[in-house]
Amino acid sequence: SHKWCRWPMFAVATYALAPFPIVILGKKEEASQLAYWSYFTTGWIVAVSFGLPCILAHSAVIAVGNCLISMTSSLVFYGTIVGLAWWQASEGGYGLY
């Protein structure tokens, strides 16, 4: 029988969950506790997307190569979002949100 391991899918779920705190709570013009909370929550979701593959590789659930591929895809994914926000802000827009 083949043992199925679904733990690596949690790393993929962080890609979908990362923007939700800012999208739901919104980017406020004024600095508020709600805005800071949304940035904090987004930050730890992004941190989990980098840390979870390392923990899974350390506990031998996934191979080290898979961990490196997952971290590379996180860099590409989040780097694209940050680059797009930077480009929109430099064009006179307000960024993504």
Side-chain angles (χ1 to χ4, degrees), residues 3 11 21 24 28 34 40 47 50-51 54 58 69 75 80 83 89-90:
K3 179 182 166 188
I24 291 172
K28 307 291 185 207
L34 198 57
F40 173 74
F50 285 102
C54 294
H58 179 72
I69 289 171
L75 282 172
T80 301
S90 70

Side-chain angles (χ1 to χ4, degrees), residues 34-90:
L34 198 57
Y36 290 137
W37 180 254
S38 66
Y39 296 145
F40 173 74
T41 307
T42 299
W44 70 259
I45 292 173
V46 170
V48 166
S49 71
F50 285 102
L52 186 62
C54 294
I55 292 169
L56 292 175
H58 179 72
S59 61
V61 173
I62 63 173
V64 174
N66 295 345
C67 174
L68 294 175
I69 289 171
S70 179
M71 292 181 71
T72 303
S73 67
S74 293
L75 282 172
V76 170
F77 182 77
Y78 295 122
T80 301
I81 292 171
V82 169
L84 181 62
W86 176 78
W87 177 72
Q88 285 182 347
S90 70

